[in-house]
Amino acid sequence: MKIAVCVKQVPDSWAEKKMVNGVLDRENVDAVLNDLDEYAVEEALRIAEAHGGNDEGGAHTVTVISMGPDRATEAVRKALSMGANDAILVSDSALAGSDALATSSVLAKVIADGAYDLVICGTESTDARMSVVPAMISARLGWAQLTFASKVTVDPAGKVSITRVTEAGVDEISAAFPVVISVVEKINEPRYPSFKGIMAAKKKVIDQKDLAAVGASAQSAWSQVNDATPRPARAAGVKVTDEGNGGQDLVNFLAEKKLI
């Protein structure tokens, strides 16, 4: 099997974020591998290991695919240190400010050229939280999509089955290769890179491409931010002193906030 995992470098979830000219300021904040993509990397590695492993020269491979600036190699290296075989990073100044439609177009082109059997993604990126890129990739490729998977079972002969938990119950869905899968947090526990894995990742190949090498062209973003206002500082809370009517004061406050 050839497995691809789409990952993204995002601002640290704990960092204070700012908008500059309608675009998230990524240069002045710590950047990390998207937390939810770690589950996708882990699941890809588990699938490969369950069917003989992804050792060099083996029948199964796990390739990390990302789009971003040059510094995104830091996030890609982490995925490699977890055990992925190699990586492709599409980096081009013309892609700055790309939205989900533009991003999915470039990723789909790279995936199509790689002739992968499975593509695994996290459900969303923590900087945008849209949950649409996996579906967009599958639509562009014309492949089946198995999204929000909490369990994945793969038959190397060419079939994938997933379990998806929804508000209505539990769905069991299957599709034939090739297929795009997105996984939820509860699917596994991502491994910590070992020292051996970290050292090995330094030697693994990151094939860095620009748009010309990919054979794609930049697309204008279909969406844009016209205005952004910083979140106001948290105001002081309301203190209710019970002098015999505290219960009524509390009810009035909740009613005013339309909580009851």
Side-chain angles (χ1 to χ4, degrees):
M1 289 180 291
K2 290 187 68 176
I3 306 173
V5 184
C6 295
V7 306
K8 184 179 182 181
Q9 186 184 56
V10 297
D12 192 324
S13 299
W14 298 100
E16 182 180 353
K17 305 174 185 64
K18 297 179 181 179
M19 300 290 288
V20 178
N21 297 323
V23 178
L24 183 63
D25 179 12
R26 298 177 183 274
E27 295 297 324
N28 298 304
V29 67
D30 291 336
V32 298
L33 173 62
N34 180 45
D35 295 345
L36 301 176
D37 292 343
E38 293 187 26
Y39 297 92
V41 175
E42 176 65 29
E43 194 61 22
L45 295 173
R46 292 191 183 195
I47 291 170
E49 291 164 356
H51 297 93
N54 63 318
D55 296 332
E56 186 175 352
H60 310 300
T61 58
V62 175
T63 299
V64 175
I65 300 176
S66 186
M67 187 182 103
D70 290 343
R71 69 182 298 204
T73 55
E74 301 165 5
V76 171
R77 288 287 179 200
K78 180 171 183 181
L80 291 174
S81 68
M82 291 173 69
N85 297 85
D86 52 21
I88 299 171
L89 172 63
V90 182
S91 185
D92 195 303
S93 59
L95 293 171
S98 294
D99 60 6
L101 283 164
T103 299
S104 64
S105 176
V106 173
L107 293 177
K109 182 66 172 65
V110 175
I111 291 165
D113 290 346
Y116 298 98
D117 300 301
L118 303 177
V119 176
I120 306 180
C121 311
T123 52
E124 62 186 4
S125 60
T126 56
D127 59 345
R129 295 199 177 278
M130 295 181 66
S131 295
V132 296
V133 169
M136 287 181 173
I137 291 174
S138 71
R140 291 184 183 281
L141 294 172
W143 295 3
Q145 58 169 303
L146 301 175
T147 53
F148 301 100
S150 58
K151 180 181 179 182
V152 178
T153 303
V154 176
D155 179 350
K159 181 180 178 181
V160 185
S161 301
I162 73 159
T163 299
R164 176 203 284 154
V165 179
T166 70
E167 294 180 357
V170 178
D171 296 334
E172 300 288 344
I173 309 171
S174 62
F177 290 176
V179 61
V180 178
I181 306 168
S182 69
V183 299
V184 299
E185 292 177 73
K186 294 181 179 180
I187 193 168
N188 58 47
E189 184 64 35
R191 68 194 67 186
Y192 287 102
S194 64
F195 178 75
K196 180 179 179 181
I198 293 172
M199 297 307 293
K202 295 181 179 181
K203 300 179 181 179
K204 292 180 179 178
V205 175
I206 299 179
D207 185 7
Q208 194 160 336
K209 302 173 180 284
D210 58 14
L211 281 172
V214 171
S217 57
Q219 298 183 14
S220 299
W222 286 46
S223 60
Q224 63 182 14
V225 177
N226 292 325
D227 189 26
T229 303
R231 180 174 59 184
R234 175 179 286 185
V238 176
K239 183 177 181 180
V240 176
T241 301
D242 188 6
E243 296 179 348
N245 59 346
Q248 185 60 50
D249 289 344
L250 180 58
V251 169
N252 294 340
F253 174 78
L254 294 175
E256 179 186 346
K257 299 298 182 182
K258 298 182 179 180
L259 297 175
I260 59 174

